[in-house]
Amino acid sequence: MGALENIKDFRKYSNQYLAAFTGTLLTFSVIASYGWTSPTLPILLADDSPLPITSDESSWIVSILVLASIAGPIPTAWAVDKFGRKYTMLFAAIPTIVGWVLIGVAQSVPVLYISRFLSGISYGMQYSSMPLYLGEIASDTIRGSIGTLLTVMAKAGILVEYSIGPFVGFRTLAWISVVFPSAFFILFMWMPESPYYLLAKNDQTSAAKSLRWLRKRDEVDDELNMMKSAVEKSKQNKGTFRELLTAGNRRSLIVVLGLGALQQLCGSQAVIAYSQQIFEEVQSGLEAHESSIIMAVIQLVTATLSSSIVDRAGRRPLLLISTSGCAIGTFIVGLYFFLQQQGVAVQSVSWIPLIVIMLYIISYTIGLATVPFAVLGELFPANVKAVAAAMYTMFASAVGFGVAKLYQVISDELGTYVSFWIFALCSSLFVIFVYLLVPETKGKPLDQILEEMRFSQNRSLTNCCKRGKTVKL
């Protein structure tokens, strides 16, 4: 009976899932460019490299993409309200297409740098526009699973790079990879624009048409009126960066920026970008690329599971479990590398870090990799969602650049265990952050979430004032 109901639900929401899946092909393409480094860097660093690079150059190849992603949200925050969510996302595919082509013809390291920079622009643009689009096309009951589809597609992109990269040349891998953003561009042109954006442009006819297609029904007047009311309220305040600092939005901003920092400081990006090199140090008995492929499969399966339970289990429980698991996992892996560096015979237990890294990936993917994007689309009014998404992406990318660049430096100078213990410490501290500040938004209408966030902040202000304290948010 449950399976039958699930089939009926999927049919009911199939157009929403289709639009979300087609849109997140862009995510697939952009994150594939990040996963590209794991199978490629060992090839480029090898003695018989087709394009020799140094260890320092390898860290720049990883981190330039993240650094460039900081710039992506700047034009996106303006473009999503000027040209729409749909056309901004289509434009975001162009730099990554060019980036893959440059890798395909690259004969020098600077060309690789340029290609990574362009892919980084796409990375920043899609992460500051995609959550906005997904949050606005989804019904309340499936908004969480629609939002987490972004991460499912990201993990699928990583899996493809990990699976193909070790068996083909790095230029061939680029020519294969360029197919994905090209497919997104062609298919997404046929998807509808966000009805919220169309209402903001006073195009109620197109908004109704878009909503009818998404909901697969003709009677959408009630929901359309609710959307129209929300848009009219949002127009009362101008959507600027300054607006994010108003009393109604400050707590939401603190929450999403904290989650953005946590996504990076738990070590996930370093593990993804340098996975083959990490597994080579572990010496578990499996080939490094085999371990990386297994890890990518686990990521994809876990992300898919998370997308199906985020609207049932809730946001807070998944985040708390995820952050705690990352803290424990990175501490244990760091301990293994520490003992290894001290000359302790750890060969007999080399399976432990392999298993722990897999459990770490499960912990990360089930919560931290998926839930923040769902939360990002829920905590802000429509007039500042684009600005909030841009701020989130820029902040997370800045932190991510530090992680991507410094991981190799710290590991080379002090030891890999130091990097993993830093990740463990950061994750432990953020368990407290999630417990105290992140709200539960499961199954709640967007208007109710916004009211609860304002009420919670006002109550905190009132309580602090009663105690005679000055509050700074």
Side-chain angles (χ1 to χ4, degrees), residues 183-201:
F184 157 78
F185 193 91
I186 294 170
L187 296 174
F188 193 64
M189 286 192 296
W190 302 99
M191 293 298 109
E193 177 60 271
S194 160
Y196 277 93
Y197 168 76
L198 294 170
L199 287 172
K201 293 299 181 180

Side-chain angles (χ1 to χ4, degrees), residues 302-320:
T302 308
T304 304
L305 175 64
S306 176
S307 69
S308 66
I309 68 173
V310 68
D311 285 318
R312 301 176 186 176
R315 280 55 158 167
R316 276 172 55 85
L318 289 179
L319 284 173
L320 287 170

Side-chain angles (χ1 to χ4, degrees), residues 18-295:
L18 176 60
F21 173 81
T22 307
T24 52
L25 278 174
L26 177 61
T27 305
F28 179 105
S29 308
V30 170
I31 302 304
S33 65
Y34 193 87
W36 172 85
T37 58
S38 177
T40 301
L41 291 184
I43 296 173
L44 299 182
L45 287 166
D47 293 336
D48 58 348
S49 171
L51 180 54
I53 63 172
T54 65
S55 178
D56 184 63
E57 287 171 338
S58 74
S59 68
W60 279 112
I61 288 172
V62 172
S63 57
I64 280 177
L65 182 147
V66 187
L67 179 63
S69 68
I70 300 174
I74 297 174
T76 304
W78 167 75
V80 290
D81 288 331
K82 178 68 174 179
F83 302 110
R85 286 60 161 148
K86 174 180 174 179
Y87 289 106
T88 301
M89 290 162 62
L90 287 170
F91 180 78
I94 297 174
T96 197
I97 291 173
V98 177
W100 284 123
V101 171
L102 288 177
I103 292 176
V105 300
Q107 298 294 330
S108 66
V109 174
V111 174
L112 293 183
Y113 288 164
I114 294 171
S115 72
R116 300 294 286 169
F117 181 86
L118 291 172
S119 293
I121 296 295
S122 291
Y123 188 107
M125 290 188 69
Q126 77 91 20
Y127 265 123
S128 54
S129 58
M130 188 73 66
L132 184 64
Y133 179 78
L134 297 181
E136 291 182 349
I137 67 169
S139 301
D140 291 339
T141 51
I142 62 165
R143 195 172 59 242
S145 59
I146 286 285
T148 54
L149 184 60
L150 185 151
T151 303
V152 173
M153 294 296 282
K155 303 313 175 189
I158 291 171
L159 175 58
V160 167
E161 297 297 309
Y162 283 13
S163 300
I164 300 175
F167 307 105
V168 299
F170 81 97
R171 294 188 183 90
T172 301
L173 180 59
W175 291 119
I176 294 172
S177 299
V178 77
V179 171
F180 305 119
S182 302
F184 157 78
F185 193 91
I186 294 170
L187 296 174
F188 193 64
M189 286 192 296
W190 302 99
M191 293 298 109
E193 177 60 271
S194 160
Y196 277 93
Y197 168 76
L198 294 170
L199 287 172
K201 293 299 181 180
N202 297 315
D203 190 351
Q204 188 162 336
T205 301
S206 296
K209 182 180 179 181
S210 172
L211 195 60
R212 289 190 191 101
W213 187 87
L214 289 166
R215 301 299 184 258
K216 296 186 69 174
R217 64 175 188 267
D218 293 330
E219 296 299 324
V220 295
D221 290 345
D222 290 343
E223 186 175 3
L224 195 67
N225 288 332
M226 290 177 61
M227 288 182 174
K228 187 176 181 180
S229 176
V231 169
E232 289 174 352
K233 288 180 182 178
S234 71
K235 283 185 175 181
Q236 295 175 4
N237 297 304
K238 187 178 180 181
T240 64
F241 281 104
R242 187 174 182 179
E243 181 68 19
L244 283 177
L245 303 179
T246 61
N249 294 321
R250 277 190 295 231
R251 186 190 172 199
S252 297
L253 182 62
I254 291 170
V255 168
V256 298
L257 292 185
L259 292 177
L262 172 56
Q263 280 185 312
Q264 310 300 323
L265 292 173
C266 72
S268 60
Q269 302 308 311
V271 171
I272 292 170
Y274 296 99
S275 65
Q276 278 198 208
Q277 290 164 276
I278 291 171
F279 285 123
E280 284 174 1
E281 290 188 57
V282 169
Q283 299 176 347
S284 65
L286 291 174
E287 293 290 335
H289 71 268
E290 294 173 343
S291 298
S292 295
I293 292 171
I294 293 171
M295 186 185 77

